[in-house]
């Protein structure tokens, strides 16, 4: 019989409230993770998904939480709940790694991304700085970042959301971990970038022979990426099984409720709506380079001749890849563009019944 790479038994996590009482975030959880598989943990916000993942990494502040003595997390023949902080440091980022939901909160904004990846390598491996830099360059190429040499010297804020998430993945797999925990890694990304990141995680899983714990509330993503699924509610695992069984033959009422909400599509109301906003021919150009006399000699078109209308009671979606102009267009409609740094042409915005707000530049 296949021996699991991770065996969790009777996991209980209780947080100490300010009034001294206890809040049970995870209650009596039992599950296994096998080599080469993707195990998804799903459930609504507050169901205990992320707390479970943080417990597997020893990342919950021991001063704020109580564990029961029956807790057991077996990994590679070791009981992780018995590790000291120094021993945990050897495991984290080396044998078990984690990708967090928002890379900007995990990356140091003051340090170049290449240096941050190299540091992860040198903390766990006895290698020279030169070899760590070479490994960093290889990892950036591995996760699909173009111009790896140039991007190594970039700060996090100089990268797009998708690129930052790729950097986080590069850091997570830098030391070939046995387990990769991905906590909502695609939530803040565009649909096309999300697809690329999911494909990248599966590619790295196969190449590096990792087991993956994938935490998400997006059942559409889970259905595509997972082999097995754990369903959590209010800190309790209510059901677990193969992705086929969970999606095609769920047994627990809560799982059925989740799947029903996932499958349900809301029909739009059909009525004649009042136009509340109209924008015509919005174009925004960012100057990239100026000559000695201040004349722009290199520029990029962020938004080009966009027109749109918004109606009362309706939702207008702006979709596209990172860098497609969505945020710039939104900031332009809200008059949040710093016109000293951008060139705005052919803009006309009309908002109904709001002081007849008109602009023309």
């Amino acid at each position: 019989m296949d021996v699991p790479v991770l065996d969790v038994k009777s996991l209980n996590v209780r947080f100490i409230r300010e009034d001294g009482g206890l809040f049970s975030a995870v209650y009596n959880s039992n599950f296994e993770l096998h080599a080469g598989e993707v195990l998804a943990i799903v459930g609504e916000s507050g169901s205990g998904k992320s707390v479970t993942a943080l417990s597997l990494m020893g990342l919950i502040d021991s001063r704020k939480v109580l564990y029961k003595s029956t807790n057991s997390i077996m990994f590679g023949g070791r009981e992780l709940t018995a590790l000291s902080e120094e021993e945990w440091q050897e495991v984290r980022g080396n044998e078990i790694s984690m990708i967090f939901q928002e890379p900007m909160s995990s990356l140091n904004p003051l340090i170049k991304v290449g240096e941050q990846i190299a540091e992860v390598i040198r903390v766990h491996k006895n290698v020279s700085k030169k070899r760590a830099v070479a490994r960093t360059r290889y990892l950036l190429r591995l996760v699909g970042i173009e111009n790896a040499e140039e991007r190594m010297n970039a700060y996090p804020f100089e990268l797009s959301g998708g690129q930052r998430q790729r950097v986080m993945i590069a850091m997570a797999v830098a030391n070939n971990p046995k387990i990769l925990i991905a906590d909502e890694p695609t939530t803040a990304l565009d649909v096309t970038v999300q697809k690329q990141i999911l494909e990248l995680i599966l590619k790295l899983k196969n190449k590096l022979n990792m087991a993956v714990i994938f935490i998400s509330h997006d059942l559409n993503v889970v259905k595509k990426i997972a082999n097995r699924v754990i369903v959590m509610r209010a800190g309790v695992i209510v059901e677990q099984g193969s992705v086929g069984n969970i999606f095609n033959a769920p047994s627990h009422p809560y799982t059925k409720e989740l799947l029903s909400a996932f499958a349900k599509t809301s029909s739009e109301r059909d009525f004649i709506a009042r136009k509340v906003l109209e924008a015509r021919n919005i174009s925004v150009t960012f100057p990239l380079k100026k000559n000695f006399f201040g004349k722009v000699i290199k520029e990029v078109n962020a938004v080009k001749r966009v027109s749109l209308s918004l109606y009362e009671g309706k939702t207008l979606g702006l979709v596209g890849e990172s860098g497609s102009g969505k945020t710039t267009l939104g900031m332009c409609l809200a008059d949040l563009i710093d016109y000293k740094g951008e060139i705005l042409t052919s803009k006309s915005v009309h908002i109904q019944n709001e002081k007849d707000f008109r602009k023309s530049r």
Side-chain angles (χ1 to χ4, degrees):
M1 187 176 178
D2 184 21
V3 177
V5 65
L6 187 74
D7 189 3
V8 179
K9 286 186 170 63
S10 301
L11 180 62
N12 290 271
V13 184
R14 296 174 296 171
F15 286 98
I16 305 171
R17 298 197 305 251
E18 290 186 2
D19 62 4
L22 296 176
F23 169 73
S24 183
V26 177
Y27 179 74
N28 203 32
S29 291
N30 299 275
F31 62 90
E32 296 178 349
L33 176 67
H34 295 265
E37 79 167 342
V38 177
L39 174 66
I41 304 179
V42 303
E44 60 195 25
S45 296
S47 61
K49 306 185 301 294
S50 294
V51 173
T52 298
L54 292 172
S55 296
L56 301 180
M57 293 281 290
L59 287 175
I60 300 180
D61 189 344
S62 59
R63 295 168 297 180
K64 298 179 180 179
V65 69
L66 285 179
Y67 293 104
K68 286 189 175 181
S69 58
T70 55
N71 285 0
S72 176
I73 305 174
M74 291 296 297
F75 168 68
R78 282 189 294 175
E79 178 56 70
L80 297 186
T81 61
L83 297 185
S84 65
E85 182 55 33
E86 287 186 0
E87 292 170 324
W88 265 118
Q89 293 289 353
E90 295 175 5
V91 173
R92 291 190 208 110
N94 189 34
E95 298 181 88
I96 304 177
S97 286
M98 191 166 183
I99 308 168
F100 295 94
Q101 179 176 346
E102 178 44 64
M104 276 302 282
S105 64
S106 303
L107 294 170
N108 190 323
L110 303 178
I111 301 178
K112 296 175 181 178
V113 295
E115 294 176 17
Q116 295 188 55
I117 298 172
E119 181 183 9
V120 171
I121 298 169
R122 299 192 72 190
V123 163
H124 295 286
K125 306 294 182 184
N126 185 23
V127 298
S128 65
K129 183 177 180 180
K130 183 177 180 180
R131 289 191 62 182
V133 169
R135 172 73 174 168
T136 298
R137 190 181 301 112
Y138 164 78
L139 287 167
L140 288 177
R141 290 171 180 158
L142 181 66
V143 299
I145 290 185
E146 298 179 358
N147 304 318
E149 187 74 46
E150 178 182 339
R151 291 305 184 186
M152 286 175 63
N153 295 311
Y155 292 95
F157 65 86
E158 296 178 305
L159 304 178
S160 69
Q163 289 172 328
R164 288 194 292 265
Q165 196 61 285
R166 288 174 186 270
V167 169
M168 283 298 302
I169 294 173
M171 292 176 69
V173 303
N175 296 308
N176 295 337
K178 294 182 175 65
I179 297 175
L180 177 65
I181 301 173
D183 188 2
E184 304 268 15
T186 60
T187 298
L189 301 177
D190 301 324
V191 176
T192 50
V193 179
Q194 181 186 87
K195 182 175 181 289
Q196 295 167 8
I197 295 298
L198 293 175
E199 290 174 348
L200 174 60
I201 290 174
L202 289 177
K203 172 188 170 184
L204 293 174
K205 174 188 78 73
N206 295 329
K207 184 178 180 64
L208 304 176
N209 194 30
M210 297 183 301
V212 177
I213 295 177
F214 190 87
I215 299 170
S216 181
H217 65 274
D218 190 334
L219 295 181
N220 189 45
V221 169
V222 168
K223 192 174 184 179
K224 294 176 182 177
I225 197 173
N227 303 114
R228 289 193 303 116
V229 181
I230 288 174
V231 182
M232 294 190 73
R233 186 183 192 185
V236 177
I237 295 178
V238 297
E239 186 171 0
Q240 58 180 303
S242 69
V243 67
N245 286 341
I246 293 294
F247 279 86
N248 299 321
S251 61
H252 195 277
Y254 177 67
T255 308
K256 294 177 182 179
E257 184 182 334
L258 276 181
L259 293 173
S260 176
F262 166 62
K264 191 181 297 181
T265 55
S266 58
S267 58
E268 290 191 31
R269 290 184 296 166
D270 218 358
F271 61 88
I272 299 175
R274 179 174 63 94
K275 186 186 292 185
V276 294
L277 182 145
E278 183 176 9
R280 305 182 192 95
N281 298 320
I282 295 181
S283 296
V284 181
T285 302
F286 289 91
L288 297 181
K289 189 175 182 181
K290 296 181 181 180
N291 62 17
F292 178 79
F293 301 101
K295 183 179 180 181
V296 176
I297 58 175
K298 187 176 181 181
E299 60 189 31
V300 61
N301 291 319
V303 178
K304 191 173 182 180
R305 293 195 299 273
V306 174
S307 299
L308 58 86
S309 298
L310 183 63
Y311 294 85
E312 184 180 36
K314 297 287 187 178
T315 300
L316 176 65
L318 298 177
V319 299
E321 298 181 355
S322 295
S324 62
K326 306 183 301 297
T327 301
T328 300
L329 177 58
M331 293 179 69
C332 198
L333 295 175
D335 197 28
L336 293 175
I337 291 283
D338 177 9
Y339 298 112
K340 295 179 181 178
E342 290 79 34
I343 302 170
L344 194 66
T345 60
S346 308
K347 177 188 174 187
S348 176
V349 179
H350 181 203
I351 301 178
Q352 307 283 96
N353 300 330
E354 292 285 341
K355 293 184 180 179
D356 198 30
F357 172 57
R358 289 178 182 272
K359 286 186 186 272
S360 232
R361 287 184 174 87

